[in-house]
Amino acid sequence: MGIQIAPSILSADFARLADEAAAVSNADWLHVDVMDNHFVPNLTLGMPVVESLAKATDTPLDCHLMIEDPDRWAPGYVEAGASSVTFHVEACRAPIRTAREIRAKGARAAMALKPATPIEPYEDLLSELDMILIMTVEPGFGGQKFLDVCVPKIRRTRELLDKHGLDLWIEIDGGVSADTIERCAEAGADVFVAGSAVYAADDPNAMVEQLRGLAEQSAGR
């Protein structure tokens, strides 16, 4: 599996989402941040917008649920058109059951960890997942500064996956830019969510390619 870039529409123009999706047509995924103003102090979009966006783009949707009670809502996002659904372990009451329901509906199941949440207590859950999302900022807002303290956790997660021979992706989300992506790729990350770095660029597609090139070079791929 190669390096994958997932621009976050949290940094896009919400009034022009179809156009903003087309502006990153060479991206591997389109990252959709779902926030409920409870689990995180912000409110973004929900299932109806995901359903509309899925009809407006051929790029697969990577839905990141920063919400309370993801056990209840996660399967619905697959039905709305998401190809990957991520729940936060801090909010999930039954992560194995939720992951299995996501997979059973045909999407990739991912588990997200806040910066202060360690990976080690969830070692036994890894085989139930397709991806681990390591937050490299506190969830809830775009445009935050990358937290270097999270890089060792990326490396430890990669070591755990290698230990068990698991073919899971490691995604990082928060402060990803040309200045930070290389150290994360070297540590073992595969999938990179980039919001403001992509959508603030004069040419978003060109920035996607630049980020992909930097990560591939650093990862030796």
Side-chain angles (χ1 to χ4, degrees):
M1 186 211 71
I3 295 296
Q4 301 180 68
I5 306 298
S8 171
I9 63 168
L10 185 63
S11 298
D13 182 347
F14 276 22
R16 302 172 52 252
L17 284 184
D19 292 337
E20 296 285 64
V24 290
S25 58
N26 61 346
D28 301 285
W29 296 85
L30 198 61
H31 190 79
V32 182
D33 288 305
V34 178
M35 305 182 190
D36 64 356
N37 199 31
H38 293 283
F39 180 69
V40 292
N42 198 1
L43 182 66
T44 55
L45 46 79
M47 213 173 294
V49 176
V50 170
E51 187 172 6
S52 295
L53 188 58
K55 296 174 182 176
T57 181
D58 292 329
T59 306
L61 302 184
D62 173 31
C63 283
H64 178 190
L65 306 184
M66 288 173 270
I67 63 175
E68 291 183 352
D69 200 11
D71 311 76
R72 174 184 177 187
W73 297 108
Y77 280 89
V78 184
E79 296 171 0
S83 297
S84 175
V85 176
T86 301
F87 58 86
H88 266 268
V89 70
E90 301 91 351
C92 197
R93 290 173 294 178
I96 293 176
R97 183 183 66 201
T98 299
R100 289 182 177 180
E101 288 180 355
I102 292 169
R103 283 173 144 183
K105 288 185 176 293
R108 298 180 66 86
M111 183 176 74
L113 308 174
K114 290 183 178 182
T117 302
I119 183 63
E120 287 79 8
Y122 305 103
E123 181 175 354
D124 292 341
L125 274 65
L126 295 176
S127 62
E128 299 286 340
L129 303 167
D130 299 295
M131 183 169 73
I132 295 289
L133 169 55
I134 296 175
M135 292 297 299
T136 45
V137 298
E138 291 294 339
F141 295 94
Q144 298 183 64
K145 185 178 179 181
F146 179 84
L147 296 174
D148 285 284
V149 70
C150 298
V151 175
K153 182 160 68 172
I154 298 171
R155 186 168 285 110
R156 294 197 309 272
T157 302
R158 177 55 63 195
E159 290 170 354
L160 279 179
L161 298 181
D162 290 345
K163 170 186 172 183
H164 294 286
L166 296 172
D167 188 24
L168 272 70
W169 299 346
I170 298 177
E171 182 176 52
I172 63 164
D173 181 3
V176 174
S177 69
D179 295 326
T180 60
I181 195 168
E182 292 175 293
R183 72 193 81 163
C184 299
E186 187 276 329
D190 307 297
V191 186
F192 301 86
V193 177
S196 53
V198 170
Y199 278 110
D202 292 335
D203 185 339
N205 259 335
M207 178 56 68
V208 168
E209 291 304 322
Q210 180 183 348
L211 292 173
R212 184 182 286 117
L214 290 169
E216 287 175 346
Q217 183 177 9
S218 185
R221 301 179 187 178

